[in-house]
Amino acid sequence: MGKNSWFLITATFLCAQSLFAQQNVLNAKTPQDMRESASASVMISDKPISYAYVDERDILWSKTVWEVIDLDERINFPLYYPVDTVSLDVSRRSLYDVLVKNIKSGNIKDVYVDSYFSEKRDFKDLKATLQKVDTTDMGIQALNAGEAVPEEYITRREITSADIEQYLIKGMWYFDKRLGELKYRLIGLAPVAPDVNFIDDDSVDPEENKVPLFWVWYPSVRDVLHKAQVFNQSNPSNFISFDMLLNARRFNSMIYREDNEFGDREIKDYIVKNALFQLIESNRIKEAIRDKEQDMWSY
């Protein structure tokens, strides 16, 4: 059977699955039937596609890079929305909500302080990073008087998905000499938000107040992210998972650090207070990585 025939069969199968899912929704007798049919049509399999084993001897060249995903960009909106979890079905949540919920429940255990994954954390250790509890002046007066502080004198502020401004990702580009191609493997992921202790303080520069809340070891969270739905901007009737979106690199990002002889210093450390030149340097690193595959085939 020729390549064209295989392509036609595959395309027909995918279209049939998509139409079947839409017909189930349209023919639903109750809202529960609609939710179940929509949920069933999202995942083709129960598990994400496994990564292929890569022998260290097959890695001819590699480069580790750190990137920032700005959630103000439209292409990155699926990682940010929805921020309103009341009016939508429980099956749709933002990436931050999915991560925090599963860290809290214990489904995600590989949570770390930094991108080198040297110091592990659990949810109770993250509370100081994710929430702030403060006492008003009236509460302090009651405390000094030896009285119990009423609940209305205690203010609580938690980081929510609406506060997330960026995601940091760490990954490795490598040239697989066995396959003869340049490939990418995502290693870590971190949500970035204003420091909860100064989040409502107008005297603090918002650009200087952004901190990564925690880092997760990405290979260990793939099963969780595979079960979480993401709105598909190209085809709203066909949802995808966060794992599919991230592995397919369906987002826009900027490199802010690469592994180097200077202790993996960031671009802003050697190009200071010049956003344009920092962006140009980021693009230079991207082009150098892309050109590496062409250089491998040059004689």
Side-chain angles (χ1 to χ4, degrees):
M1 185 178 292
K3 291 183 178 179
N4 293 335
S5 300
W6 279 112
F7 176 79
L8 181 60
I9 292 174
T10 305
T12 303
F13 175 75
L14 293 175
C15 289
Q17 281 208 337
S18 178
L19 289 172
F20 179 72
Q22 294 177 35
Q23 288 172 359
N24 281 344
V25 173
L26 295 176
N27 295 327
K29 299 295 188 296
T30 65
Q32 183 64 24
D33 293 340
M34 180 183 67
R35 283 191 289 268
E36 289 177 355
S37 61
S39 175
S41 67
V42 175
M43 302 306 168
I44 297 175
S45 63
D46 294 334
K47 291 185 174 295
I49 299 174
S50 300
Y51 289 144
Y53 175 76
V54 181
D55 196 304
E56 292 291 336
R57 294 170 296 181
D58 291 332
I59 301 178
L60 193 60
W61 171 89
S62 68
K63 168 70 72 176
T64 300
V65 295
W66 288 256
E67 300 168 82
V68 55
I69 301 173
D70 191 344
L71 298 182
D72 281 337
E73 298 185 39
R74 181 175 293 275
I75 192 175
N76 299 329
F77 281 178
L79 296 171
Y80 178 73
Y81 290 102
V83 294
D84 179 11
T85 58
V86 177
S87 59
L88 286 178
D89 186 74
V90 69
S91 61
R92 286 188 59 190
R93 288 294 182 265
S94 68
L95 177 57
Y96 176 76
D97 280 340
V98 172
L99 291 174
V100 171
K101 176 184 176 182
N102 285 277
I103 291 173
K104 189 174 183 179
S105 65
N107 293 330
I108 296 178
K109 296 181 173 62
D110 292 330
V111 183
Y112 296 85
V113 175
D114 55 30
S115 61
Y116 293 98
F117 311 105
S118 56
E119 191 175 346
K120 209 167 185 179
R121 286 286 187 267
D122 54 24
F123 185 74
K124 67 179 182 180
D125 297 325
L126 296 175
K127 284 186 177 180
T129 306
L130 303 182
Q131 64 181 7
K132 176 182 69 172
V133 180
D134 202 0
T135 306
T136 63
D137 293 338
M138 295 295 293
I140 294 175
Q141 291 179 11
L143 190 63
N144 292 335
E147 303 174 357
V149 180
E151 185 64 29
E152 60 264 25
Y153 295 153
I154 299 177
T155 59
R156 304 177 189 275
R157 178 68 161 90
E158 293 187 6
I159 297 292
T160 66
S161 57
D163 299 314
I164 305 302
E165 299 181 6
Q166 299 172 341
Y167 280 98
L168 304 182
I169 60 173
K170 179 182 180 181
M172 176 186 286
W173 289 96
Y174 64 94
F175 187 85
D176 191 325
K177 67 180 182 181
R178 184 176 61 85
L179 299 176
E181 63 180 348
L182 186 69
K183 300 181 74 66
Y184 176 79
R185 183 69 60 87
L186 184 57
I187 299 173
L189 175 73
V192 176
D195 188 333
V196 70
N197 296 302
F198 306 101
I199 192 170
D200 299 318
D201 190 346
D202 295 333
S203 64
V204 178
D205 184 0
E207 292 301 319
E208 299 295 331
N209 193 33
K210 297 177 184 178
V211 294
L213 302 178
F214 53 82
W215 280 87
V216 294
W217 175 253
Y218 187 77
S220 69
V221 301
R222 293 192 64 210
D223 286 338
V224 170
L225 297 186
H226 180 72
K227 298 175 183 177
Q229 300 180 14
V230 184
F231 184 80
N232 188 347
Q233 294 173 310
S234 301
N235 183 5
S237 67
N238 183 23
F239 284 83
I240 59 175
S241 71
F242 280 114
D243 182 64
M244 295 176 184
L245 183 146
L246 291 168
N247 276 301
R249 292 188 61 88
R250 294 174 62 169
F251 54 80
N252 189 45
S253 63
M254 186 187 78
I255 295 175
Y256 71 93
R257 178 194 288 183
E258 62 172 332
D259 55 350
N260 52 53
E261 65 272 27
F262 304 105
D264 300 345
R265 66 179 180 179
E266 297 186 20
I267 292 176
K268 68 180 182 180
D269 292 336
Y270 60 92
I271 301 178
V272 183
K273 295 182 180 180
N274 194 321
L276 176 59
F277 281 12
Q278 290 172 1
L279 179 59
I280 291 174
E281 175 67 5
S282 173
N283 290 332
R284 183 197 66 78
I285 297 172
K286 280 185 180 180
E287 290 301 319
I289 293 173
R290 291 171 181 168
D291 291 343
K292 186 61 67 173
E293 184 173 22
Q294 299 297 325
D295 293 343
M296 294 294 181
W297 293 103
S298 298
Y299 295 94

